């Protein structure tokens, strides 16, 4: 049981900033921020979960069964992540590529302290045993000037970013993938590459703040699990359940932005009418419809938006919205299990694409192209897609960010490479400047 306590706040932006600094005292932190992006289906402006009361950490073996058991036992809010490599739990697949980060395959925790922000109302939901701490914590956050005490530095040493796959090798690998497509093995696959730095340190919270300021996406995430960090500027929702409705919003199609308004509009219009980008998006929409149909009530899968262009600070994105309805006897974890990994990060057909991806990529994806989010006590959930993100293992002093693009029959290796650089721009800027 949780104690509920509501307070009105005068300046949500300042309160949110102080809240994030206050959270640094805990080993387990999940911060989800919409950046005031009033998107359809958004529930909160920001959510903070800290301090594990109970937790589940496991590798991919029977991971979904263990998550289902944990969620049913706790019957409370739980927050955590699913790595891409949980694909090995549902199909005969493997993940043998290099991993410099070492995140467990799945991690969820039941927070002792949960804080939800909507407009100017902050709602504290603390476990009963800690309810006496709510007022003190609210005052501590409100009066905290911790951001002023921060050294503001991201790194004391220059960070040298290396490429796991160099340009010529990238072209060779894309051409190999195109050969698979022309043979009919797959229609599309999301091919990713890692950028990394070894023996390097960063200030995680300052790095996150700078990345978030550059992009201001609707699914920003700061995750801390002891010595491992995710600093994410994700624009993409993976999947959400609210009542008996399930919503998936895959992104496929990217164009850079321009400071010139007329040119920027031309870039957005060109993306909306680009036959290659539209075909990429439609293929993934078909895959998502098929995935959702496994748990949906008959005839309930619908495409609410197809190939709609949304504009973010860094890029224009083509997003579709696919929904379904599920009956009460469908377990929420089964909805995730039958749709994971998300189609936008794999390809079609999904299993063939994942096998080819494993052979051509050089790095284990881990949390990149996985998901972070939460389950509510009622079994609703909301998860993003981990893209446009920096991952950091503080103990190993290893920093990583990966980017990818969808390879189809119409792909040009040079254009795909340039798209990756556009997507990588914000992360590189944050780390190198």
């Amino acid at each position: 049981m949780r104690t509920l306590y509501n307070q009105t706040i005068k300046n949500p932006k300042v309160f949110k900033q102080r809240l994030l600094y206050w959270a640094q005292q805990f080993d387990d932190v999940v911060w989800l921020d919409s950046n005031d992006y009033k998107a359809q289906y958004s529930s909160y402006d920001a959510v903070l979960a800290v301090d594990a009361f109970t937790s589940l950490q496991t590798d991919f073996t029977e991971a979904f069964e263990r998550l289902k058991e944990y969620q049913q036992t706790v019957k409370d809010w739980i927050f955590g992540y699913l790595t891409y490599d949980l694909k090995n739990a549902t199909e005969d697949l493997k993940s043998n590529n290099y991993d410099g980060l070492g995140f467990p395959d799945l991690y969820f925790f039941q927070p002792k302290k949960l804080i939800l922000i909507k407009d100017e109302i902050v709602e504290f939901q603390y476990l009963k045993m800690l309810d006496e701490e709510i007022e003190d914590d609210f005052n501590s956050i409100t009066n905290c000037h911790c951001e002023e005490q921060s050294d503001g530095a991201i790194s004391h040493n220059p960070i040298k970013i290396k490429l796991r796959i160099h340009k010529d090798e990238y072209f060779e690998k894309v051409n190999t993938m195109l050969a698979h497509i022309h043979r009919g093995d797959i229609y599309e696959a999301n091919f990713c590459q890692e950028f990394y730095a070894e023996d390097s340190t960063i200030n995680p919270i300052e790095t996150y703040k700078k990345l978030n300021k550059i992009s201001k996406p609707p699914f920003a995430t700061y995750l801390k699990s002891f010595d491992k960090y995710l600093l994410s500027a994700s624009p993409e929702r993976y999947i959400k359940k609210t009542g008996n409705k399930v919503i998936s919003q895959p992104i496929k199609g990217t164009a850079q932005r321009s400071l010139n308004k007329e040119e920027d509009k031309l870039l957005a219009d060109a993306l909306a009418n680009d036959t290659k980008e539209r075909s990429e998006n439609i293929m993934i929409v078909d895959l998502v419809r098929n995935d959702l149909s496994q748990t949906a009530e008959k005839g309930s899968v619908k495409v609410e938006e197809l190939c709609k262009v949304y504009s973010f600070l860094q890029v224009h994105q083509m997003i579709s919205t696919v929904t379904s309805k599920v009956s009460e006897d469908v377990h929420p974890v089964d909805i995730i299990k039958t749709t994971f990994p998300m189609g936008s990060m794999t390809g079609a057909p999904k299993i063939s694409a994942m096998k080819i991806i494993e052979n051509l990529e050089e790095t284990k994806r881990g949390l990149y192209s996985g998901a972070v989010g939460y389950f509510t006590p009622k079994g609703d959930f909301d998860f993003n897609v981990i893209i446009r993100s920096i991952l950091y293992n503080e103990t190993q002093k290893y920093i990583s960010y990966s980017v990818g693009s969808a390879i189809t029959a119409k792909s040009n290796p040079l254009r795909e490479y340039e798209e990756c650089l556009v997507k990588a721009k914000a992360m590189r800027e944050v780390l190198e400047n």
Side-chain angles (χ1 to χ4, degrees):
M1 293 290 291
R2 292 184 177 269
T3 298
L4 269 62
Y5 173 84
N6 287 350
Q7 266 287 6
T8 302
I9 44 178
K10 290 180 181 176
N11 191 330
K13 187 177 179 182
V14 170
F15 186 84
K16 285 199 302 183
Q17 190 174 55
R18 292 175 177 176
L19 186 59
L20 189 53
Y21 279 100
W22 172 83
Q24 297 316 299
Q25 63 188 288
F26 303 103
D27 290 326
D28 298 277
V29 179
V30 171
W31 167 254
L32 306 169
D33 190 357
S34 73
N35 284 296
D36 299 321
Y37 195 89
K38 302 296 183 186
Q40 189 182 18
Y41 299 121
S42 62
S43 300
Y44 303 102
D45 295 337
V47 178
L48 176 71
V50 297
D51 203 9
F53 179 56
T54 66
S55 65
L56 168 67
Q57 177 178 306
T58 182
D59 66 8
F60 68 85
T61 312
E62 296 185 344
F64 288 106
E65 287 69 26
R66 293 189 64 186
L67 177 58
K68 187 188 288 190
E69 182 185 358
Y70 180 61
Q71 193 269 338
Q72 285 174 330
T73 305
V74 172
K75 290 181 181 170
D76 190 11
W77 292 84
I78 57 171
F79 287 74
Y81 66 75
L82 312 149
T83 67
Y84 172 80
D85 303 290
L86 292 179
K87 64 185 173 57
N88 307 336
T90 54
E91 304 294 343
D92 184 19
L93 298 166
K94 56 187 186 295
S95 298
N96 292 330
N97 289 329
Y98 177 76
D99 177 16
L101 289 160
F103 278 75
D105 289 339
L106 179 146
Y107 182 69
F108 278 84
F109 71 96
Q110 176 189 13
K112 292 178 185 174
K113 302 183 178 187
L114 174 61
I115 301 171
L116 308 154
I117 299 171
K118 184 74 173 176
D119 299 320
E120 293 183 344
I121 301 296
V122 57
E123 179 179 302
F124 289 74
Q125 290 197 27
Y126 279 25
L127 292 180
K128 284 283 186 188
M129 60 187 179
L130 298 171
D131 60 2
E132 291 180 0
E133 296 181 20
I134 292 177
E135 206 160 335
D136 285 344
D137 283 352
F138 177 72
N139 291 330
S140 175
I141 295 159
T142 305
N143 298 317
C144 162
H145 294 284
C146 14
E147 70 272 22
E148 294 167 11
Q149 296 156 19
S150 168
D151 64 12
I154 285 178
S155 172
H156 298 294
N157 304 305
I159 292 171
K160 184 169 174 55
I161 304 294
K162 300 177 186 176
L163 285 73
R164 187 69 61 187
I165 300 172
H166 289 275
K167 192 173 181 180
D168 289 346
E169 189 184 4
Y170 177 87
F171 290 165
E172 286 175 22
K173 287 175 179 285
V174 170
N175 283 323
T176 301
M177 196 164 273
L178 285 168
H180 281 290
I181 292 168
H182 295 142
R183 268 205 308 269
D185 301 333
I186 49 170
Y187 308 114
E188 174 182 346
N190 193 292
F191 177 53
C192 301
Q193 56 176 320
E194 183 195 26
F195 297 78
Y196 66 100
E198 297 169 299
D199 197 26
S200 299
T201 59
I202 56 174
N203 178 324
I205 192 166
E206 295 299 329
T207 306
Y208 165 77
K209 274 179 59 189
K210 195 166 183 183
L211 180 64
N212 190 46
K213 188 177 180 181
I214 288 173
S215 304
K216 291 193 175 168
F219 300 102
T221 303
Y222 177 93
L223 180 146
K224 174 187 177 186
S225 180
F226 293 88
D227 64 339
K228 297 177 183 67
Y229 295 85
L230 164 72
L231 321 168
S232 177
S234 175
E236 183 173 1
R237 169 178 278 128
Y238 156 42
I239 196 165
K240 176 173 184 168
K241 176 181 176 288
T242 177
N244 71 339
K245 186 169 185 175
V246 178
I247 304 111
S248 182
Q249 296 181 294
I251 290 179
K252 268 287 157 271
T254 304
Q256 63 184 6
R257 298 210 59 182
S258 170
L259 294 173
N260 180 294
K261 280 188 179 180
E262 288 181 10
E263 187 183 4
D264 193 55
K265 187 178 184 307
L266 288 172
L267 288 166
D269 291 345
L271 175 60
N273 296 299
D274 189 310
T275 54
K276 174 193 172 286
E277 302 282 20
R278 288 184 70 87
S279 67
E280 279 181 21
N281 196 296
I282 289 164
M283 275 191 261
I284 297 307
V285 166
D286 281 343
L287 189 156
V288 171
R289 288 172 63 225
N290 182 62
D291 283 352
L292 289 180
S293 70
Q294 295 182 63
T295 54
E297 292 180 346
K298 192 171 180 181
S300 71
V301 179
K302 290 184 169 56
V303 180
E304 290 190 358
E305 281 185 340
L306 184 64
C307 299
K308 184 172 178 180
V309 173
Y310 288 82
S311 298
F312 302 97
L313 285 185
Q314 291 278 306
V315 289
H316 300 292
Q317 300 278 194
M318 189 181 282
I319 305 176
S320 293
T321 299
V322 189
T323 65
S324 69
K325 291 191 175 173
V326 293
S327 63
E328 287 183 7
D329 60 354
V330 173
H331 196 282
V333 173
D334 288 332
I335 300 167
I336 290 172
K337 183 180 179 181
T338 52
T339 56
F340 194 84
M342 62 292 299
S344 61
M345 296 306 297
T346 54
K350 192 186 263 190
I351 295 169
S352 299
M354 288 191 290
K355 286 179 179 176
I356 292 165
I357 285 166
E358 176 68 22
N359 289 333
L360 290 174
E361 291 180 357
E362 296 291 331
T363 313
K364 179 180 174 179
R365 288 194 183 179
L367 189 47
Y368 170 69
S369 73
V372 169
Y374 60 84
F375 292 87
T376 72
K378 292 181 178 178
D380 288 344
F381 55 72
D382 200 359
F383 285 87
N384 66 6
V385 178
I386 298 304
I387 51 175
R388 321 290 158 83
S389 302
I390 295 167
L391 291 151
Y392 177 45
N393 184 316
E394 189 174 37
T395 303
Q396 298 299 326
K397 296 184 177 180
Y398 189 87
I399 303 164
S400 169
Y401 63 92
S402 294
V403 291
S405 68
I407 310 301
T408 67
K410 294 181 179 180
S411 288
N412 174 296
L414 178 58
R415 276 195 65 188
E416 299 299 336
Y417 189 77
E418 288 170 348
E419 182 180 321
C420 286
L421 295 183
V422 168
K423 291 173 177 174
K425 184 184 173 190
M427 283 89 75
R428 181 181 280 273
E429 245 178 65
V430 164
L431 291 169
E432 288 193 338
N433 296 337

